[in-house]
Amino acid sequence: MAHPKRKISKTRRDKRRTHYKASVPQIATCPTTGEAHLYHRAHWHEGKLYYRGQVLIDNSEEENLA
């Protein structure tokens, strides 16, 4: 089994870990609704599912019928 020959200092250990960072998610604004959403993701707004400014699913009609 591997066994360290020398103790790794806290500074050296922390220097190695500096590259592990959480990235901030990129937020886009829909040109049609003005809603903030993640890039390359569909989003719901007032009962409609939008992707790239176009309506994919319209549930508002079904709610009105029920």
Side-chain angles (χ1 to χ4, degrees), residues 3-31:
H3 192 268
K5 194 164 191 173
R6 298 238 181 264
K7 180 180 178 178
I8 303 293
S9 68
K10 294 172 197 158
T11 306
R12 192 169 185 87
R13 175 198 66 198
D14 293 343
K15 280 183 188 177
R16 184 179 67 245
R17 294 179 181 175
T18 59
H19 303 290
Y20 297 110
K21 298 177 183 153
S23 60
V24 178
Q26 289 187 320
I27 304 294
T29 305
C30 181

Side-chain angles (χ1 to χ4, degrees), residues 41-59:
R41 303 289 193 282
H43 62 282
W44 289 97
H45 181 69
E46 297 179 355
K48 296 178 183 177
L49 184 67
Y50 288 90
Y51 183 70
R52 299 181 70 185
Q54 297 178 350
V55 177
L56 297 179
I57 300 173
D58 192 356
N59 283 345

